[in-house]
Amino acid sequence: MSTIAVNLQAVEATITAAAAVSGRPRSAVQLLAVSKTFPAEAVLEAMAAGQRAFGENYLQEGVEKIADVARAQPAQSTQSSEPVEWHFIGPIQSNKTRSIATSFAWVHTVERLKIAQRLSEQRPPEMGLLNICLQVNISGEATKSGATAAELPELARQVALLPNLRLRGLMAIPEPQTDPALQRAAFARLRALGEDLRADGLTIDTLSMGMSADMEAAIAEGATIVRVGSAIFGHRNYD
Ligand SMILES: *Cc1c(COP(=O)(O)O)cnc(C)c1O
C-alpha cells in the first residue's frame, strides 16, 4: 500500500474514533484532503485509495492540478465512483474570483460581501450552485483573516440571497493550541455562531474546522468537514 493510502487509513480511524466518542455517526464528518504543494500524482494516489474531496489554497497551483487530474481520469464521469470534488480554502484576491468560480465546487474562505457577489456573478449557471462557507476570525487578534463575529449575521444574510451561491456554513482556522480544552473552546465559538445563524432562519449545515493537529477537538465540537493535509500527504515543502 502507498504511504498516502496508509496515512488515509490512519486519519480515517482517527475521525471514526472521534465521532464515536461524541456519539456522532462517521458519515456526519467529511474528510477534505488538503493537497496544496503536492503534485497531481499525490491526488491520484489518494483517489486510488477512495478519497474524493480535495482542498487547494493557491489558485494557480490548484487550477493546474485540477486539469492534470482530469486529464489522468478521462473516463471519470462514466465510472461508478463519485466524481472528484475540489474545494478552494485559500485567501481570495478580488481580481481572481472568476477562476475560482469556474474551477471549484466549494469555497471556504469568503469573508467579504464583495467577494461573494463576484463569485455569484461569475459562476457559470450550468455548473450548479457554488457552495460557500464564510470564514470567521475566531481567535481575535491572533489571525487576520475572516469576518468578525459582529459582521457575521449581516454578511450571512446578504450572501444567502445571492443567486448562484449556496451558503453552507462557517469555516475557521483558530490560533494553534496544543491543549485540547483550548482547541475545543475555539471550535465551540464557531459552532455557537453557526447556531445563531440558524436561529436567524438561515439553513446552514456545515462547520469547516479542524486540521491535522486538532481534528479530534473539532469533531467533538461538531465539525462537518475536517481539512487535513500533512497527516495524509506528509510534510510540506514550500520551496
Ligand atoms: C494547509 C491547510 C490545512 C491543512 O493543514 P494540516 O495542518 O497540514 O492538516 C487546512 N486548512 C487550511 C485553510 C490550510 O491552509
Side-chain angles (χ1 to χ4, degrees), residues 76-130:
Q76 181 182 289
S77 59
T78 61
Q79 286 172 358
S80 56
S81 61
E82 281 178 56
V84 61
E85 181 180 87
W86 293 96
H87 296 227
F88 190 75
I89 63 170
I92 304 174
Q93 290 172 266
S94 61
N95 62 340
K96 299 286 173 56
T97 49
R98 184 176 304 277
S99 178
I100 296 174
T102 55
S103 302
F104 290 85
W106 283 69
V107 182
H108 291 230
T109 41
V110 171
E111 56 183 25
R112 288 188 288 142
L113 180 59
K114 184 182 159 215
I115 296 287
Q117 286 168 331
R118 291 177 65 94
L119 290 170
S120 182
E121 281 161 18
Q122 295 166 344
R123 178 68 166 178
E126 66 274 15
M127 288 185 76
L129 302 182
L130 179 60

Side-chain angles (χ1 to χ4, degrees), residues 34 36 57 89 171 173 211-213 227-231 236 238:
V34 177
K36 67 179 176 210
N57 287 59
I89 63 170
M171 178 273 207
I173 312 170
M211 317 202 299
S212 295
R227 308 177 311 268
V228 180
S230 47
R236 280 186 293 276
Y238 286 96

Side-chain angles (χ1 to χ4, degrees), residues 5-238:
V6 171
N7 290 346
L8 272 169
Q9 275 194 352
V11 169
E12 182 60 39
T14 300
I15 294 172
T16 301
V21 166
S22 309
R24 305 180 63 204
R26 167 65 189 88
S27 60
V29 184
Q30 184 188 13
L31 173 59
L32 180 64
V34 177
S35 43
K36 67 179 176 210
T37 79
F38 291 96
E41 290 69 34
V43 171
L44 293 167
E45 250 183 76
M47 289 176 72
Q51 179 64 27
R52 283 295 173 274
F54 295 91
E56 289 288 332
N57 287 59
Y58 310 108
L59 188 55
Q60 187 61 31
E61 178 196 338
V63 167
E64 284 170 17
K65 209 176 297 178
I66 290 169
D68 289 346
V69 168
R71 262 193 299 277
Q73 296 273 306
Q76 181 182 289
S77 59
T78 61
Q79 286 172 358
S80 56
S81 61
E82 281 178 56
V84 61
E85 181 180 87
W86 293 96
H87 296 227
F88 190 75
I89 63 170
I92 304 174
Q93 290 172 266
S94 61
N95 62 340
K96 299 286 173 56
T97 49
R98 184 176 304 277
S99 178
I100 296 174
T102 55
S103 302
F104 290 85
W106 283 69
V107 182
H108 291 230
T109 41
V110 171
E111 56 183 25
R112 288 188 288 142
L113 180 59
K114 184 182 159 215
I115 296 287
Q117 286 168 331
R118 291 177 65 94
L119 290 170
S120 182
E121 281 161 18
Q122 295 166 344
R123 178 68 166 178
E126 66 274 15
M127 288 185 76
L129 302 182
L130 179 60
N131 295 290
I132 299 291
C133 292
L134 302 177
Q135 184 173 356
V136 184
N137 182 348
I138 209 76
S139 303
E141 298 292 299
T143 52
K144 300 268 188 302
S145 299
T148 64
E151 293 165 342
L152 189 61
E154 183 59 17
L155 176 63
R157 262 194 295 278
Q158 297 293 335
V159 170
L161 295 173
L162 295 172
N164 296 319
L165 307 184
R166 181 171 168 208
L167 178 63
R168 296 299 294 265
L170 303 180
M171 178 273 207
I173 312 170
E175 160 182 38
Q177 302 278 0
T178 48
D179 178 350
L182 293 177
Q183 292 174 354
R184 282 189 64 159
F187 294 134
R189 289 200 293 281
L190 193 70
R191 179 220 273 263
L193 291 171
E195 284 164 2
D196 290 347
L197 295 183
R198 265 197 224 102
D200 276 355
L202 294 173
T203 51
I204 58 167
D205 59 11
T206 300
L207 290 175
S208 167
M209 59 187 197
M211 317 202 299
S212 295
D214 55 14
M215 64 181 130
E216 286 153 295
I219 291 167
E221 293 296 341
T224 65
I225 300 179
V226 288
R227 308 177 311 268
V228 180
S230 47
I232 297 170
F233 296 107
H235 178 73
R236 280 186 293 276
N237 183 348
Y238 286 96

